[in-house]
């Protein structure tokens, strides 16, 4: 491993969600170099720059051959902290240590099934490669693959972290003319604008609900698409209510707890709520396209990098 990033999902894993498997080596965003490989591995050689993904793409199963989903049937998404054969490749003083998804990037070395690796251009800046292995790409992919944002449309994005910034950039890239960012941290406004946000809402600055504030910015109609990136239960309902009656589409990417209360009336009036894993991206097919956009400077990720620390300094940070 050369670089690894911190994602909110890692914090959820640390708190025992969705399965309390400990000890666990965290991290699922990162970039590294192939040091060695076992029998049957093809398409890679020592020294290749790669990123680990928690979504595989075999390109042969029913779902990989379709455009309906990015969830591979042959190499399924793993939450239990073990590899596909039911074993772990890590231990701590003789005790089994669990992976984060199919990998654990907060370490010097990792062992991973080759089907969860994507080879990338060795000229790709390492911080960019790390960011694009999960967070930013999820948001960008959700606008592209899940919502299929249309030219001239309006968008609301809840929570201005890396996933949301990807959604903002993706929405603008696909022609959205009004992109509303929502966060209770006023310092996030500058980040949102750097990626194309047109309007900012800080819910703490008004007595109105978020949905009402969004409608105030859209002539009372609401937006065409909402991207909920936090998983905070009340915000999910606000994301639903912020979209247009009859046609509004809500893409849910964040998660805080496994069960939430949804106001079903908001959906009965024609809106669509869709869950999304990895932004609907097919790892081997779609991630190279996003990397190419970064290489061509269509996407500039400099704003995502706040600071760098060494792995051994994490405890003191």
């Amino acid at each position: 491993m050369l670089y690894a990033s911190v994602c909110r999902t890692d914090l959820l894993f640390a708190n025992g969600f969705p399965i309390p498997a400990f000890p666990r080596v965290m991290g699922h965003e990162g970039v590294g170099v192939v040091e060695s490989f076992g029998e049957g591995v093809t398409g890679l050689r020592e020294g290749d720059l790669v990123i680990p993904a928690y979504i595989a793409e075999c390109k042969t199963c029913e779902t990989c051959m379709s455009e309906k989903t990015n969830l591979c049937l042959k190499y399924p998404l793993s939450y239990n902290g073990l590899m596909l054969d039911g074993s772990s490749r890590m231990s701590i003083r003789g005790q089994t240590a669990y992976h984060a998804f199919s990998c654990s990037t907060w370490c010097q070395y990792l062992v991973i099934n080759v089907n969860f690796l994507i080879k990338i251009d060795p000229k790709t800046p390492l911080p960019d490669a790390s960011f694009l292995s999960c967070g930013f790409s999820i948001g960008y992919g959700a606008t592209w693959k899940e919502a299929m944002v249309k030219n001239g449309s309006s968008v609301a994005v809840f929570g201005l972290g890396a996933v949301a910034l990807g959604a903002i950039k993706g929405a603008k890239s696909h022609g959205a003319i009004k992109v509303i960012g929502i966060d209770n941290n006023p310092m996030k406004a500058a980040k949102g604008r750097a990626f194309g946000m047109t309007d900012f809402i800080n819910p703490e600055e008004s007595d109105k609900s978020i949905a009402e504030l969004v409608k105030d910015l859209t002539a009372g109609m609401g937006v065409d698409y909402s991207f909920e990136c936090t998983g905070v239960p009340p915000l999910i309902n606000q994301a639903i209510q912020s979209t247009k009656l009859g046609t509004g589409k809500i893409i849910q990417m964040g998660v805080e707890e496994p069960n939430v209360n949804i106001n079903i009336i908001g959906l009965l009036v024609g809106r669509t709520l869709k869950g999304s894993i990895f932004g609907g991206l097919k790892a081997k097919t779609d991630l190279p396209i996003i990397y190419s956009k970064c290489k061509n400077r269509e996407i500039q990720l400099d704003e995502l990098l706040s600071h760098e620390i060494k792995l051994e300094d994490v405890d003191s940070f």
Side-chain angles (χ1 to χ4, degrees):
M1 291 305 302
L2 300 175
Y3 266 64
S5 310
V6 180
C7 175
R8 185 170 179 77
T9 303
D10 297 311
L11 305 182
L12 293 175
F13 279 145
N15 290 325
F17 179 88
I19 298 173
F22 298 106
R24 193 168 216 156
V25 181
M26 302 300 176
H28 61 280
E29 296 184 8
V31 57
V33 172
V34 175
E35 183 188 67
S36 59
F37 44 85
E39 294 181 6
V41 174
T42 60
L44 290 174
R45 60 184 180 182
E46 293 178 9
D48 281 345
L49 190 69
V50 293
I51 62 167
Y54 54 89
I55 294 290
E57 183 186 358
C58 71
K59 296 190 175 185
T60 59
C61 75
E62 176 185 346
T63 57
C64 283
M65 295 288 285
S66 79
E67 292 297 320
K68 295 180 180 179
T69 179
N70 60 340
L71 292 174
C72 180
L73 297 176
K74 190 174 182 179
Y75 303 101
L77 177 69
S78 173
Y79 287 109
N80 63 7
L82 298 173
M83 307 259 314
L84 294 179
D85 62 3
S87 67
S88 170
R89 299 297 189 270
M90 299 179 294
S91 63
I92 298 175
R93 293 183 290 276
Q95 180 182 0
T96 295
Y98 294 90
H99 300 257
F101 287 123
S102 55
C103 58
S104 290
T105 60
W106 295 2
C107 56
Q108 291 176 295
Y109 298 92
L110 68 81
V111 177
I112 188 171
N113 184 302
V114 67
N115 293 284
F116 292 88
L117 277 183
I118 297 96
K119 181 179 175 180
I120 61 173
D121 188 331
K123 296 180 181 178
T124 305
L126 296 181
D128 289 3
S130 186
F131 291 140
L132 290 175
S133 64
C134 181
F136 185 90
S137 294
I138 290 176
Y140 192 94
T143 66
W144 170 26
K145 293 292 184 174
E146 302 282 27
M148 292 180 282
V149 169
K150 299 294 190 296
N151 189 50
S153 59
S154 55
V155 168
V157 181
F158 288 71
L160 296 184
V163 173
L165 295 175
I168 288 172
K169 182 63 178 180
K172 287 294 290 186
S173 297
H174 290 90
I177 57 175
K178 181 172 282 292
V179 180
I180 304 167
I182 299 133
D183 202 291
N184 59 9
N185 183 350
M187 296 179 65
K188 297 286 187 72
K191 293 288 185 183
R193 291 192 178 94
F195 285 93
M197 181 184 73
T198 60
D199 300 88
F200 177 70
I201 291 174
N202 181 346
E204 296 186 352
E205 295 179 348
S206 175
D207 294 330
K208 293 183 177 181
S209 70
I210 295 174
E212 289 174 317
L213 294 171
V214 169
K215 289 175 181 177
D216 286 346
L217 293 171
T218 54
M221 300 295 292
V223 292
D224 297 296
Y225 311 94
S226 278
F227 296 90
E228 208 297 297
C229 308
T230 71
V232 176
L235 293 184
I236 299 173
N237 282 305
Q238 288 298 307
I240 293 171
Q241 296 294 337
S242 294
T243 62
K244 293 178 178 177
L245 292 173
T247 59
K249 193 167 188 177
I250 306 95
I251 307 299
Q252 183 62 41
M253 292 172 280
V255 59
E256 278 283 342
E257 50 190 82
N259 299 299
V260 298
N261 292 319
I262 298 295
N263 184 342
I264 195 66
I265 301 299
L267 298 178
L268 287 178
V269 291
R271 299 181 178 104
T272 301
L273 173 63
K274 188 180 191 305
S276 174
I277 192 77
F278 204 55
L281 296 171
K282 293 179 182 290
K284 295 183 183 296
T285 298
D286 298 326
L287 278 182
I289 295 173
I290 298 179
Y291 275 90
S292 177
K293 290 180 180 295
C294 288
K295 182 180 177 181
N296 297 333
R297 306 304 289 171
E298 295 176 49
I299 300 175
Q300 297 180 344
L301 296 183
D302 299 346
E303 288 286 338
L304 286 182
L305 181 61
S306 58
H307 53 275
E308 300 177 16
I309 58 173
K310 295 181 179 179
L311 183 62
E312 57 266 30
D313 295 332
V314 169
D315 286 343
S316 60
F317 176 67

